[in-house]
Amino acid sequence: MRVLVLGGGGREHAIVAKLLESPNVDDVLAAPGNGGTASIAVNVKLDVEDGAAVAAFAKAEGVGLVVIGPEAPLVAGVADDVRAAGIPAFGPGAAGARIEGSKRFAKELMFRHNIPTGFSEAFTDEEAALEYLQEVSAPIVVKADGLAAGKGVTVAMDVHTAREAIRECFAGRFGDAGSTVVIEEYLRGPECSLLAFTDGETVVPMAPAQDHKRALDGDEGPNTGGMGVYSPVPIVTDEEYAAMMAAMVHAVEGMRSEGIDYRGVLYGGFILTDEGPKLLEFNARFGDPETQVILPRLDGDLAEILLATAERRLADVSLAWRDEWAVSVVLASGGYPGDYETGKPVNGIADAESLTDVTVYHAGTRLAEDGSLLTAGGRVLNVTALGPDFASARERAYEAVGRIGWDGMFFRTDIGARAQRGRAAWEA
Ligand code: GLY
């Protein structure tokens, strides 16, 4: 089978690499891919948000499965167009992708189906939003309703910051995405990402993972797309895991009861509060960088799992998780998530990968014409290491990081450190 993967980040590199382990995959096309996928797949140019173009390309190229990585093509309904062309698509159509594409829709779905989450109100009028802010005060979270390239969420520790965030949304900073503003409860506790494969009936959880969203050590600095991650998550109790799974199943059942055909990944972003796990958000796709620690631990045929999901026969597939730990450290361009320079030569990847159980996934790289590897984004590489225990996986990941370099590279030195100290580290 030929597979087309849409997207060009570390998540997509990890998906492509895992797909190629399948005996049923002949080759993979990546659109647009990156410097990492270029060496194992064929990178192609394609407007990934144009469903008709993706479907026509897939048909012309004899593609047997289209895997949609990022949220934008999902929200644009690319899966619907691909399915309409008779090609299996992994990823929900536009109706299901609203669970990520509209924060308001997601919250209202949670309320309708009694899924634990924080309080929330949506506003299309600035004055009403500001009045509500006076009532609920801070800390509080302000979100642009629609997709805003990861920049539409403000965690406001004071009313002034929240007020500014509301004003910016209504002033058009995020275009249409900010014309509805969602104000929601600030939830306290450790985060945990639980992703599941679902074909709308069967829900198969993946191993839990924990991302580190802040740019700097000690969870300081601005929010990013994610600076490092590990799996499994040792601080999650059995009761919390059961509650998270129940929430995921309720969401899938809830969507089904509302006539939504959901086939792909449902990503639950939870906060482990004192009152139990509560949903911060749902995403309609694999997490990034969560995928870079989850897929290396997957003991199963990813191509078969994704195809079965797309064809609504997930119940027939079996998979397991390796009894190993995975830690991934994101290497970023100096200045990220603000302005940063690109085009810097990257050194040391082969040396890093010569270490046992180390894989370097490319997130923002490109191959120059002379074959050298250059930085091409904010998050550049994800260095993932597996180990028999948490400490050895961390040690290996950081040993590998020490072998890589470019002008301006930065990374967090404490990925997984807090979890190694136990739950009390969040209460301190
Ligand atoms: N790890 C955050 C995300 O994928 O949205």
Side-chain angles (χ1 to χ4, degrees), residues 11 193 211 213 225-226 267 281 283 285-290:
R11 166 184 52 209
S193 306
D211 191 4
K213 293 266 173 51
Y267 166 141
E281 62 182 5
N283 292 321
R285 53 171 172 83
F286 280 109
D288 189 347
E290 286 91 336

Side-chain angles (χ1 to χ4, degrees), residues 360-372:
V360 178
Y361 297 112
H362 295 224
T365 66
R366 68 178 175 87
L367 284 181
E369 271 170 21
D370 65 1
S372 61

Side-chain angles (χ1 to χ4, degrees), residues 13 22 28 68 83 101 111 118 170 174 252 260 270 283 304 308 324:
H13 189 186
S22 168
V28 177
I68 304 170
R83 283 188 195 115
F111 295 141
F170 284 115
F174 306 111
V252 171
I260 295 172
F270 290 89
N283 292 321
E304 174 55 10
E324 280 181 299

Side-chain angles (χ1 to χ4, degrees), residues 76-408:
V78 170
D80 298 313
D81 288 315
V82 172
R83 283 188 195 115
I87 301 167
F90 180 83
R98 286 184 75 201
I99 204 159
E100 177 162 3
S102 167
K103 313 295 176 233
R104 176 183 203 161
F105 171 83
K107 277 289 195 177
E108 289 175 356
L109 183 98
M110 292 181 219
F111 295 141
R112 280 198 297 281
H113 299 284
N114 296 319
I115 296 168
T117 187
F119 67 73
S120 152
E121 286 286 336
F123 299 91
T124 51
D125 175 74
E126 183 172 336
E127 282 317 306
L130 292 172
E131 254 173 52
Y132 181 71
L133 174 63
Q134 282 310 119
E135 255 174 61
V136 293
S137 193
I140 196 81
V141 181
V142 178
K143 293 181 176 175
D145 178 56
L147 294 184
K151 297 192 188 326
V153 176
T154 302
V155 179
M157 301 314 287
D158 55 73
V159 170
H160 172 75
T161 308
R163 197 179 296 124
E164 286 311 300
I166 291 169
R167 288 197 171 127
E168 279 190 341
C169 281
F170 284 115
R173 178 170 173 211
F174 306 111
D176 266 2
S179 60
T180 297
V181 170
V182 179
I183 301 180
E184 56 183 57
E185 185 176 351
Y186 171 77
L187 299 172
R188 283 188 175 80
E191 283 190 38
C192 181
S193 306
L194 182 62
L195 284 64
F197 298 108
T198 180
D199 58 5
E201 295 267 347
T202 305
V203 181
V204 178
M206 297 181 221
Q210 191 176 55
D211 191 4
H212 296 61
K213 293 266 173 51
R214 300 281 183 159
L216 307 175
D217 282 3
D219 288 329
E220 300 287 339
N223 256 325
T224 69
M227 291 300 291
V229 62
Y230 56 85
S231 173
V233 184
I235 57 163
V236 175
T237 65
D238 289 349
E239 290 73 26
E240 285 171 332
Y241 181 76
M244 290 193 289
M245 260 315 283
M248 299 291 281
V249 169
H250 280 146
V252 171
E253 287 174 353
M255 285 193 280
R256 190 171 71 237
S257 73
E258 296 182 17
I260 295 172
D261 170 13
Y262 196 102
R263 291 179 249 174
V265 171
L266 181 65
Y267 166 141
F270 290 89
I271 300 286
L272 308 177
T273 76
D274 290 345
E275 294 162 357
K278 292 190 181 181
L279 251 315
L280 185 63
E281 62 182 5
F282 278 121
N283 292 321
R285 53 171 172 83
F286 280 109
D288 189 347
E290 286 91 336
T291 307
Q292 292 88 303
V293 288
I294 290 173
L295 291 187
R297 296 188 59 227
L298 172 64
D299 204 356
D301 181 335
L302 184 66
E304 174 55 10
I305 296 164
L306 302 189
L307 187 61
T309 303
E311 294 179 341
R312 277 215 212 94
R313 48 179 185 80
L314 184 56
D316 301 344
V317 170
S318 66
L319 59 87
W321 301 97
R322 287 195 204 156
D323 191 14
E324 280 181 299
W325 293 76
V327 173
S328 188
V329 181
V330 172
L331 305 186
S333 299
Y336 172 80
D339 294 339
Y340 52 82
E341 291 178 9
T342 59
K344 309 282 183 190
V346 181
N347 303 306
I349 293 181
D351 196 16
E353 287 194 313
S354 69
L355 290 167
T356 309
D357 284 333
V358 169
T359 308
V360 178
Y361 297 112
H362 295 224
T365 66
R366 68 178 175 87
L367 284 181
E369 271 170 21
D370 65 1
S372 61
L373 190 74
L374 302 177
T375 65
R379 291 189 293 173
V380 176
L381 298 173
N382 310 133
V383 181
T384 298
L386 292 171
D389 52 54
F390 202 177
S392 36
R394 278 198 75 217
E395 228 165 82
R396 245 175 228 174
Y398 278 108
E399 187 182 347
V401 166
R403 297 181 177 201
I404 297 174
W406 70 84
D407 177 25

